[in-house]
């Protein structure tokens, strides 16, 4: 359970998508969006235990890698197009690494994308995430909010989700507010200030090349 100002969801829902393709070096800094409303805002209780952790890899893998990423972060997309497939093939699929994916929300577009990715449940989550990242340059630039959300609906359809299910997911305001609170809770606990960021067996590490990740993971495996 986390305490949250009542203006959180409204702030994210109304925030412009200005951070969708901006970045600094190999990471995107978390913007100073008013995710927690003014001090005078009424507080509300949000139960973040209802949010499912999205995990890929063996439950008993010796190495746990937590990824913090935003669907509107260009560096996150680059990671998922380049480094992630190699990590998956050589470490996740072989039972050496368990990856936990945690969304970060810069803007309403990233929140909507997250709700589409989660709409298919854990079984479809990583596949839909791949589609979202592969098409990032298209859907983030589709136009205004209406065009962007229509593009995300199409991704849901490509993933095999029916229209009614997609609409139900997008209209779930309680889920959206809880996701924002969950993101804040996790990011605060792990000191996340940019995306993509990673926590490797309890130690925070920055975005880097596959070779650098490989060296860090191998060191953990060697004990």
């Amino acid at each position: 359970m986390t305490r949250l100002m009542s203006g959180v969801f409204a702030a994210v829902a109304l925030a412009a998508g200005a951070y969708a393709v901006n970045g600094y070096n190999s990471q995107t800094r978390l913007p100073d969006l008013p995710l927690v409303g003014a001090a005078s805002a009424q507080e509300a209780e949000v139960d973040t235990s209802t949010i499912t952790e999205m995990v890929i890899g063996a439950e008993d893998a010796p190495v746990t890698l937590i990824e913090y990423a935003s669907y509107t972060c260009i560096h996150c997309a680059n990671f998922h197009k380049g480094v992630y497939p190699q990590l998956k093939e050589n470490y996740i699929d072989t039972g050496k690494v368990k990856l936990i994916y945690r969304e970060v929300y810069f803007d309403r577009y990233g929140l909507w994308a997250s709700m589409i990715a989660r709409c298919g449940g854990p079984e479809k989550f990583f596949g839909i995430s791949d589609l979202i990242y592969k098409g990032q340059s298209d859907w983030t630039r589709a136009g205004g909010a209406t065009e962007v959300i229509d593009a995300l609906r199409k991704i849901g359809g490509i993933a095999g989700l029916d229209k009614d299910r997609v609409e139900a997911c997008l209209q779930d305001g309680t889920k959206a507010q809880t996701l924002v609170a969950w993101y804040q809770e996790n990011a605060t606990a792990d000191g996340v200030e940019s995306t993509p960021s990673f926590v490797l067996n309890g130690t925070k590490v920055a975005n880097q090349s596959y070779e650098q990740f490989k060296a860090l993971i191998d060191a953990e495996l060697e004990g």
Side-chain angles (χ1 to χ4, degrees):
M1 185 83 71
T2 184
R3 292 198 65 79
L4 170 76
M5 297 296 183
S6 60
V8 169
F9 175 64
V12 173
L14 296 175
Y19 296 93
V21 294
N22 292 337
Y24 302 89
N25 299 320
S26 63
Q27 294 180 304
T28 299
R29 300 288 298 179
L30 268 63
D32 293 326
L33 293 179
L35 292 181
V36 178
S40 60
Q42 181 181 357
E43 291 188 348
E45 288 281 357
V46 179
D47 184 4
T48 58
S49 68
T50 61
I51 300 300
T52 300
E53 287 276 25
M54 294 302 179
V55 181
I56 187 170
E59 183 60 35
D60 61 350
V63 174
T64 297
L65 180 66
I66 302 174
E67 176 188 0
Y68 284 91
S70 165
Y71 290 114
T72 57
C73 159
I74 190 170
H75 304 302
C76 303
N78 290 337
F79 171 82
H80 274 267
K81 293 174 186 176
V83 178
Y84 172 72
Q86 298 179 80
L87 289 177
K88 186 175 184 301
E89 178 182 1
N90 298 319
Y91 291 98
I92 297 172
D93 290 348
T94 57
K96 298 175 183 177
V97 170
K98 175 177 66 177
L99 175 71
I100 301 173
Y101 182 95
R102 292 178 178 170
E103 300 98 299
V104 169
Y105 304 119
F106 290 128
D107 46 53
R108 56 184 174 173
Y109 297 164
L111 178 60
W112 294 342
S114 176
M115 294 174 78
I116 291 291
R118 287 177 170 269
C119 196
E123 297 79 12
K124 287 182 174 287
F125 178 81
F126 286 94
I128 297 176
S129 292
D130 284 344
L131 291 174
I132 291 172
Y133 278 126
K134 287 176 181 176
Q136 186 193 77
S137 61
D138 295 323
W139 66 264
T140 57
R141 296 182 174 89
T146 299
E147 290 77 16
V148 168
I149 205 163
D150 281 344
L152 288 169
R153 286 188 178 105
K154 290 178 182 177
I155 291 175
I158 292 171
L161 304 177
D162 64 59
K163 292 182 179 180
D164 289 343
R165 185 172 184 179
V166 168
E167 289 309 306
C169 290
L170 288 172
Q171 295 297 326
D172 192 345
T174 299
K175 179 70 168 290
Q177 185 174 3
T178 306
L179 282 169
V180 173
W182 173 78
Y183 140 64
Q184 290 181 306
E185 190 175 76
N186 287 329
T188 298
D190 285 331
V192 173
E193 298 176 347
S194 59
T195 59
S197 287
F198 304 86
V199 179
L200 181 66
N201 275 359
T203 300
K204 189 169 70 171
V205 297
N207 186 28
Q208 50 202 292
S209 69
Y210 170 73
E211 288 72 21
Q212 290 171 311
F213 270 113
K214 182 179 185 301
L216 291 174
I217 293 170
D218 287 345
E220 291 292 323
L221 291 172
E222 292 168 4

